Amino acid sequence: MPATQPGAFRPEPRASARGLALTALVLAAGFVLGWLAELGVPGLRGFGIMWPQRWDFFTGMSHNSVVPYRFVGEEKALAPLDEIGWNGLGRAAETRVVQAWQFARLVPDDHWHACGRSNPLDCGLDLDAADIYRMWTGSPDSLLCGKLALSLERTEVTPVGKLPAVPRTVYRIALVDLSCR
């Protein structure tokens, strides 16, 4: 059997080099235009929208998130939920995030309270344990059950090279009692 079949496609070395050069030129031009758009050069605002360079565009950190905390007894301390880990191929942590959003949407506005504390775990000190909203989860297999504090938080996005004083800001917090039975 011959090494090269008649009529087989064999790209010319010159065509391959031209393709590589064109790809490198497009990538370099995109990098330079993106860099100039970030510097605020007039006329490149449209390029910044078409090819965003902001970190929060890729991470979604500029959006609110609902974080559930355990509400621990009379001292009104909040404790992170740590019984669900991020290990393996399980989806328990992602399911918990979705359930927290679902339950937060059901809490009436008059049960949400502002939190002015810098540490999210200190927000429980401002809450009244009598102002707890009770609801049924709708499933005995729910990952979120019992007395919880649902907080509406946002991660602070800071300029490059600077660390935020407070990594997360709690905007609102509500006490809920989720019945799973």
Side-chain angles (χ1 to χ4, degrees):
M1 180 177 222
T4 307
Q5 303 237 351
F9 176 73
R10 290 181 28 200
E12 293 183 34
R14 296 175 97 189
S16 296
R18 281 194 310 256
L20 179 64
L22 179 64
T23 302
L25 178 68
V26 168
L27 287 175
F31 176 76
V32 169
L33 287 174
W35 179 64
L36 291 173
E38 284 299 306
L39 289 177
V41 173
L44 291 179
R45 184 170 183 267
F47 183 79
I49 293 171
M50 184 179 74
W51 191 354
Q53 302 293 316
R54 300 175 320 279
W55 183 249
D56 60 335
F57 173 82
F58 299 102
T59 62
M61 293 172 77
S62 62
H63 303 295
N64 292 334
S65 60
V66 176
V67 180
Y69 294 100
R70 288 268 173 239
F71 188 69
V72 183
E74 295 299 321
E75 62 270 3
K76 300 185 203 177
L78 298 181
L81 296 176
D82 56 0
E83 68 269 11
I84 300 173
W86 293 90
N87 49 357
L89 296 175
R91 296 285 183 225
E94 290 88 353
T95 303
R96 182 178 66 186
V97 169
V98 170
Q99 286 179 353
W101 268 107
Q102 290 172 342
F103 299 141
R105 286 186 182 109
L106 297 175
V107 177
D109 284 338
D110 59 336
H111 286 276
W112 287 97
H113 304 285
C115 176
R117 307 232 180 204
S118 60
N119 184 357
L121 297 177
D122 291 339
C123 290
L125 301 173
D126 299 331
L127 298 175
D128 183 12
D131 189 27
I132 194 165
Y133 185 72
R134 288 171 175 63
M135 70 176 88
W136 183 57
T137 62
S139 170
D141 298 327
S142 178
L143 294 177
L144 297 176
C145 294
K147 291 185 180 181
L148 299 173
L150 298 177
S151 69
L152 187 62
E153 300 181 8
R154 181 175 288 169
T155 304
E156 294 299 320
V157 180
T158 59
V160 176
K162 296 186 180 189
L163 292 176
V166 180
R168 292 181 301 180
T169 302
V170 177
Y171 289 101
R172 300 188 313 165
I173 190 163
L175 288 178
V176 294
D177 187 4
L178 301 173
S179 174
C180 294
R181 306 185 227 359

